[in-house]
């Protein structure tokens, strides 16, 4: 029988690699793949040959257009985990093997990625940091920092701020709006400084920035971005909160809508895991003076975010039980199952 | 290929099928390598002869057909597909029966399949697969997961017998994805994969199935512990570092 053969058995495995060129002429290469860190796949010779024959008989595939390759490339870039787009870009360049397509994909994808991840960049000249967000975007690569009233010019692909200029009056909100915006910015910065070790926040006016005084509605948005990037430890995570606040003048109410999202990725020698958690919430409060409104809003935000974190903790505690069966003491060990069968 | 595997590793696990298709279209010359090195969530087909489901993978596939471990027939039918020898087929049948019991005990449901084939080194290779849908609508008896999928692939290379012992090399991959969705905590989704290897020299006295089964049982236990530590432990640590729970917030955390 096949189990009692005496033939010597070595530790080296041969993986037959069948490489098919687009014209479907078969070439055979032999690989040695005993590498412990790479997962080894064994594929028997006769199966491989049959597959090669059958694949060879399949219809010829149409080659992808440059536009299609570019879209595929962009997909990979946009789906890179927090803090990893540069690594993805490097691998992608190798896989694409076409610098023109690569450069186009990169120039289109990086701005979208940077804005959706709300990356935080350092401004030259000791102005502090600026967030790259759609709310602060003045032009393709110009981002307003409302705190310092500076405009950062950004190189999206290199993910750096190359220069800074003062914002013009047209780019800034009216003094009336700025009172509200500034008071809220100060309160939020206090909160973020306490709650997020590596967090940064900005407050923008997204509607009604030229409103001169009471009698009109306007809208502010609070953006919190915190990232813990540890690529050397193969562990990256980010938290983003976006709070839209509608100041409704006629009914003297503020309506808040929050979107909280955190993502994380961890790689280790034997695998990987990614987290994606999102939550939306709503609240409202009275339309008061700039300082009082700011305190009110910050309190609400702090409350909701703390509550969300607490319920995530509870989820973590519940997950192992809901996913896995409890201890295996009550189950039979495998060797007892054979007589049963 | 290294760059391609790097990309696969970083893409969100729930998009791994899309990522693999994208790579196959960018690198058609590496399709064989990619298909055999990248694991995707397992698919199933229903055996027309007896209504039982079986799992699809590269090891029971030929061209576009898959061999059922229950009836030993290819779906859709093939004229000249490869089959294990009758001796090996007997072992395969027994393995499927036992593994189904194992699966039901540990997983309280799910689908399992075992495929075997002779290799050219006078031994054979066995592939044990498990697919469990633990969601509310799936086989979950604990159900409160919106989505919960556990896919396990164990490939064991069995060497020829030498002086009463045989060498077994096990390569295991588990792909896990969980999603919960509720009012207070929103949507929460974890997904990823874990891979390990284990080699053992065991006496043939107890038989191959017993040896292979024990290895898989031990391996799955280790994988489950790793998952606990990594999935829940590590990601929770990540979240807490970004935004420490209220009590900790007073202290400044050291920079990493």
């Amino acid at each position: 029988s096949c189990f009692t053969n005496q033939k010597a058995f070595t530790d080296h495995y041969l993986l037959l690699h069948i490489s098919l060129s687009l014209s479907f002429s078969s070439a055979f290469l032999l690989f040695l793949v005993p590498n412990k860190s790479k997962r080894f796949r064994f594929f028997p010779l006769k199966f491989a040959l049959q597959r090669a024959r059958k694949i060879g008989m399949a219809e010829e595939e149409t080659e992808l257009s440059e536009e299609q390759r570019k879209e595929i490339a962009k997909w990979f870039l946009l789906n890179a985990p927090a803090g990893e787009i540069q690594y993805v870009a490097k691998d992608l360049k190798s896989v694409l093997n076409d610098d023109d397509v690569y450069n186009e994909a990169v120039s289109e994808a990086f701005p979208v990625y940077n804005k959706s991840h709300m990356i935080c960049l350092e401004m030259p000249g000791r102005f502090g940091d600026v967030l790259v967000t759609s709310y602060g975007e003045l032009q393709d690569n110009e981002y307003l920092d409302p705190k310092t009233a500076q405009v950062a010019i950004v190189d999206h692909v290199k993910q750096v701020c190359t220069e800074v200029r003062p914002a013009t009056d047209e780019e800034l909100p009216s003094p009336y709006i700025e009172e509200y915006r500034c008071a809220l910015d100060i309160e939020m910065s206090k909160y973020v400084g306490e709650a997020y070790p590596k967090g940064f926040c900005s407050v923008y006016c997204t509607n009604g920035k030229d409103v001169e005084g009471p009698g009109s509605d306007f809208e502010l948005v609070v953006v919190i971005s915190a990232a813990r990037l540890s690529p050397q430890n193969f562990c990256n995570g980010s938290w983003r909160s976006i709070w839209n606040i509608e100041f409704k003048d006629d009914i003297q109410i503020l309506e808040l809508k929050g979107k909280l999202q955190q993502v994380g990725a961890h790689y280790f020698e034997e695998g990987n895991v990614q987290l994606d958690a999102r939550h939306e919430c709503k609240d409202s409060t009275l339309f008061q003076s700039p300082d009082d409104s700011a305190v009110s809003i910050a309190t609400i935000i702090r409350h909701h975010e703390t509550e969300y974190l607490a319920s995530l903790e509870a989820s973590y505690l519940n997950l192992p039980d809901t996913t896995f069966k409890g201890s295996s003491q009550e189950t039979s060990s495998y060797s007892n199952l054979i007589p049963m069968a | 290929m290294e760059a391609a595997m790097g990309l696969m590793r970083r893409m969100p696990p729930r998009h791994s099928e899309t990522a693999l298709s994208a790579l196959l279209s960018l690198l058609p010359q590496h399709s064989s390598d990619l298909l055999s090195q990248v694991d995707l969530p397992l698919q199933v087909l229903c055996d027309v002869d007896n209504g039982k489901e079986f799992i699809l993978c590269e090891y029971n596939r030929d061209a576009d057909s898959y061999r059922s471990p229950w009836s030993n027939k290819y779906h859709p039918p093939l004229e000249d597909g490869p089959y294990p020898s009758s001796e090996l087929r007997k072992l395969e049948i027994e393995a499927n029966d036992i593994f189904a019991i194992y699966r039901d005990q540990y997983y309280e449901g799910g689908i399992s399949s075992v495929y075997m084939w002779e290799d050219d080194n006078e031994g054979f290779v066995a592939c044990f697969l498990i697919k469990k849908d633990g969601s509310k609508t799936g086989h979950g008896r604990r159900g409160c997961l919106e989505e919960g999928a556990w896919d396990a692939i164990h490939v064991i290379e069995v060497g020829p017998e030498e002086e009463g012992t045989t060498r077994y090399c096990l390569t295991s991959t588990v792909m896990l994805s969980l999603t919960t969705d509720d009012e207070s905590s929103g949507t929460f989704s974890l997904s990823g994969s874990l891979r390990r290897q284990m080699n053992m020299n065991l006496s043939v006295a107890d038989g191959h199935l017993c040896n292979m089964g024990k290895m898989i049982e031990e391996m799955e236990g280790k994988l489950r512990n790793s998952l606990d530590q990594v999935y829940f432990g590590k990601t929770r640590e990540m979240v807490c570092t970004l935004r420490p729970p209220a009590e900790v917030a007073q202290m400044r955390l050291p920079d990493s």
Side-chain angles (χ1 to χ4, degrees), chain B residues 20-241:
Chain B
L20 180 61
S21 304
L23 285 174
L24 287 171
S25 56
L26 289 177
L27 301 170
Q29 70 277 27
H30 288 297
S31 52
S32 189
D33 244 347
L34 284 168
L35 283 170
S36 66
Q37 283 195 49
V38 174
D39 285 310
L40 292 181
L42 301 170
Q43 316 263 27
V44 299
L45 266 187
C46 197
D47 187 326
V48 295
D49 280 357
N50 48 40
K52 281 164 97 165
E53 287 178 295
F54 63 99
I55 299 178
L56 312 183
C57 66
E58 289 299 302
Y59 302 98
N60 66 328
R61 178 176 111 117
D62 193 44
D64 292 321
S65 293
Y66 294 87
R67 182 172 66 88
S68 157
W70 314 116
S71 62
N72 205 24
K73 290 191 190 157
Y74 276 90
H75 293 63
L78 267 190
E79 275 188 10
D80 59 346
Y83 293 91
S85 68
S86 55
E87 180 93 32
L88 198 55
R89 171 66 189 151
K90 260 175 37 196
L91 192 66
E92 190 184 77
I93 293 173
E94 209 186 331
N96 271 290
D97 288 340
I98 296 180
F99 202 53
I101 300 172
Y102 167 93
R103 185 251 310 138
D104 202 53
Q105 295 231 312
Y106 275 105
Y107 292 86
E108 303 174 320
I111 301 167
S112 61
S113 297
V114 183
Y115 304 106
M116 298 189 181
W117 66 92
E118 284 93 351
D119 75 28
D120 297 302
N121 288 318
E122 314 289 345
F124 68 98
V125 184
C127 178
F128 291 73
L129 304 131
I130 291 182
K131 182 169 183 72
K132 170 75 191 281
D133 176 0
S135 66
K136 289 192 279 219
T137 50
H139 310 137
R141 291 180 206 173
R142 295 180 178 245
C144 53
L145 291 176
E146 193 64 30
E147 188 219 323
W150 170 294
D151 290 310
I153 303 172
H154 303 281
V155 180
I156 307 185
E157 291 141 58
V158 183
E161 186 190 323
E162 276 177 49
E163 292 160 22
T165 61
T166 304
R167 186 168 169 78
Y168 299 87
C169 298
L170 168 63
T171 307
S172 298
T173 307
V174 170
M175 291 169 282
L176 179 63
S177 91
L178 317 159
T179 306
T180 61
D181 199 344
D182 65 57
E183 276 300 311
S184 62
S185 54
T187 316
F188 175 92
S189 161
L190 272 182
S191 61
S193 65
L194 208 52
R195 242 166 259 148
R196 278 216 188 170
Q197 282 186 321
M198 184 199 283
N199 298 331
M200 279 186 154
N201 284 307
L202 297 169
S203 148
V204 295
D206 291 331
H208 286 302
L209 286 188
C210 194
N211 291 339
M212 293 194 291
K214 282 200 277 208
M215 283 180 81
I216 290 178
E217 187 178 29
E218 192 180 323
M219 175 65 93
E220 287 204 330
K222 284 192 184 152
L223 289 170
R224 187 236 193 272
N225 286 337
S226 288
L227 282 164
D228 240 346
Q229 276 165 23
V230 179
Y231 270 50
F232 309 129
K234 248 331 185 161
T235 47
R236 180 173 169 227
E237 189 188 301
M238 236 192 290
V239 172
C240 287
T241 317

Side-chain angles (χ1 to χ4, degrees), chain A residues 9-306:
Chain A
F9 179 85
T10 68
D11 271 355
H12 293 287
Y13 300 97
L14 300 177
L15 178 73
L16 189 75
H17 175 75
I18 295 140
S19 157
L20 300 170
S21 69
L22 283 173
S23 64
F24 292 100
S25 61
S26 302
F28 294 93
L29 294 167
L30 286 168
F31 276 72
L32 269 165
V33 204
N35 190 331
K36 230 173 98 174
S37 60
K38 265 201 267 189
R39 206 272 319 269
F40 170 77
R41 237 350 175 200
F42 178 87
F43 211 55
L45 174 59
K46 63 180 181 211
F47 282 8
L49 282 172
Q50 283 175 336
R51 277 191 67 204
R53 271 207 326 266
K54 295 209 155 122
I55 292 169
M57 289 187 247
E59 289 165 35
E60 193 160 315
E61 281 173 31
T62 47
E63 209 172 303
L64 287 177
S65 72
E66 273 200 8
E67 178 68 26
Q68 286 170 315
R69 289 159 68 82
K70 186 188 76 172
E71 288 305 309
I72 290 177
K74 280 166 66 179
W75 183 88
F76 278 106
L77 291 166
L78 293 173
N79 279 286
E84 301 193 16
I85 192 171
Q86 299 287 1
Y87 298 94
V88 168
K90 184 160 170 267
D91 282 337
L92 187 64
K93 189 166 191 195
S94 179
V95 165
L96 272 177
N97 202 24
D98 180 341
D99 281 355
D100 290 334
V101 169
Y102 170 77
N103 288 327
E104 261 198 74
V106 147
S107 67
E108 286 176 34
F110 266 79
V112 178
Y113 177 92
N114 291 339
K115 279 182 279 182
S116 91
H117 283 260
M118 305 198 308
I119 65 170
C120 190
L121 298 178
E122 200 183 310
M123 290 190 283
R126 289 205 241 149
F127 283 109
D129 289 347
V130 63
L131 283 183
V132 174
T133 69
S134 53
Y135 306 107
E137 188 173 58
L138 298 170
Q139 285 191 66
D140 272 352
N141 56 353
E142 292 198 348
Y143 295 88
L144 172 69
D145 174 43
K147 249 190 220 76
T148 56
Q150 301 295 313
V151 174
I153 289 114
V154 159
D155 179 331
H156 277 290
V157 177
K158 295 201 180 122
Q159 296 185 306
V160 290
C161 171
T162 52
E163 60 177 288
V164 159
R165 65 160 174 84
T168 64
D169 284 340
E170 293 76 41
E171 290 168 335
L172 295 170
S174 70
Y176 171 71
I177 297 292
E178 179 59 19
E179 265 196 86
Y180 282 91
R181 196 213 66 76
C182 185
L184 185 54
D185 204 318
I186 291 170
E187 280 303 311
M188 289 308 306
S189 297
K190 262 196 259 172
Y191 161 62
V192 169
E194 284 167 19
Y196 296 86
K198 302 227 176 198
F200 188 78
C201 78
S202 274
V203 180
Y204 305 90
C205 177
T206 46
N207 204 7
K209 81 180 221 323
D210 297 322
V211 164
E212 304 271 297
S216 300
D217 295 347
F218 59 94
E219 226 172 283
L220 297 182
V221 72
V222 176
V223 166
I224 303 174
S225 178
R228 170 79 184 281
L229 303 179
S230 213
Q232 68 278 16
N233 295 328
F234 303 104
C235 192
N236 294 310
S238 93
W239 170 299
R240 294 163 244 166
S241 311
I242 300 173
W243 287 89
N244 276 93
I245 306 151
E246 280 181 72
F247 286 72
K248 296 192 167 168
D249 188 274
D250 49 352
I251 49 175
Q252 287 291 293
I253 293 280
L254 308 186
E255 303 254 5
L256 293 92
K257 288 199 188 106
K259 280 195 190 147
L260 315 177
Q261 183 183 10
Q262 60 197 337
V263 291
H266 177 58
Y267 310 100
F268 42 101
E269 196 191 289
E270 296 153 352
N272 60 8
V273 61
Q274 290 198 20
L275 159 75
D276 189 335
R278 296 161 198 242
H279 181 52
E280 286 185 23
C281 42
K282 282 194 207 180
D283 212 322
S284 58
T285 186
L286 296 174
F287 193 148
Q288 301 162 281
S289 72
D291 288 338
D292 290 341
S293 294
V295 169
S296 214
I297 292 168
T299 308
I300 290 175
I301 291 179
R302 182 195 289 266
H303 164 75
H304 280 280
E305 295 194 341
T306 310

